[in-house]
Amino acid sequence: MSRIGRLPVVVPPKVEIDIQGTLIRVTGPKGTLEHTFPADMQVKIEDGHILVQRPSDDSQHRSMHGTTRALIQNMVTGVSTGFNRILEINGVGYRAEVQGKNLVLNVGYSHPVVIEPPAGLSFEVEAKTRQVKVLGADKQQVGQMAADIRKIRPPEPYLGKGIKYLEETIRRKAGKSGKG
């Protein structure tokens, strides 16, 4: 039995679950998320918990058991509390700001880079700490947007300039050694 798959998903108050066939729709204060799970997985609501069960111990069923439960848990967490990813900007003259809904990055190019958030995502910028927060209900979408922002100017190993995740550590390299 999958250790993750057998755990029940606790449904907090203010979150509504609607299961129609293989489609699950989760609605909460932060928005609505939908996902189609595999037809073999059985998803039931009992006593304020969501239970995911698999029909057999086939390898395909075992692999999808924990995955389905984790995706449902992420949907419930996303619509109730939301997800965020924090990026840090390092470098002289590098900065970020929010204009309307768009994120504007000045990271050493000849032009500012403007990023429009997709539906369901938003940006916050702390100018003092040079941190950019990507906020949203969909964990996959938040992570992908953070990765796309980081890709604009990845951190380089010599001076550490660039955009990095807050918890990321950059392996630094020694520069050229001078002649003695």
Side-chain angles (χ1 to χ4, degrees), residues 6-155:
R6 70 176 168 211
L7 296 174
V9 176
V10 179
V11 180
K14 298 182 184 175
V15 173
E16 297 176 15
I17 309 293
D18 183 29
I19 300 172
Q20 298 171 346
T22 60
L23 177 78
I24 184 166
R25 181 176 291 120
V26 183
T27 306
K30 301 275 184 181
T32 302
L33 294 175
E34 293 181 351
H35 180 68
T36 303
F37 54 87
D40 297 338
M41 295 295 121
Q42 299 156 359
V43 180
K44 294 185 272 185
I45 300 174
E46 291 180 5
D47 305 330
H49 297 307
I50 301 173
L51 300 173
V52 180
Q53 295 174 338
R54 64 177 185 235
S56 71
D57 277 344
D58 183 39
S59 65
Q60 181 67 26
H61 292 155
R62 283 192 321 229
S63 65
M64 289 311 297
H65 188 205
T67 302
T68 303
R69 188 259 179 209
L71 290 173
I72 293 171
Q73 174 68 51
N74 287 341
M75 290 170 62
V76 170
T77 305
V79 298
S80 59
T81 59
F83 290 102
N84 67 4
R85 200 78 163 108
I86 302 174
L87 299 160
E88 191 174 54
I89 299 175
N90 295 321
V92 177
Y94 287 13
R95 64 183 191 278
E97 60 186 11
V98 176
Q99 290 180 352
K101 289 185 173 185
N102 297 341
L103 178 68
V104 179
L105 298 171
N106 293 309
V107 287
Y109 295 118
S110 62
H111 59 282
V113 180
V114 179
I115 301 168
E116 281 189 46
L121 290 186
S122 62
F123 300 118
E124 285 181 10
V125 174
E126 291 183 35
K128 264 189 173 168
T129 57
R130 297 208 268 194
Q131 291 181 349
V132 176
K133 277 187 183 177
V134 182
L135 306 164
D138 188 353
K139 188 174 186 177
Q140 292 172 331
Q141 201 175 24
V142 168
Q144 185 62 52
M145 179 53 67
D148 291 343
I149 292 171
R150 182 185 181 278
K151 202 184 299 181
I152 291 169
R153 179 67 83 173

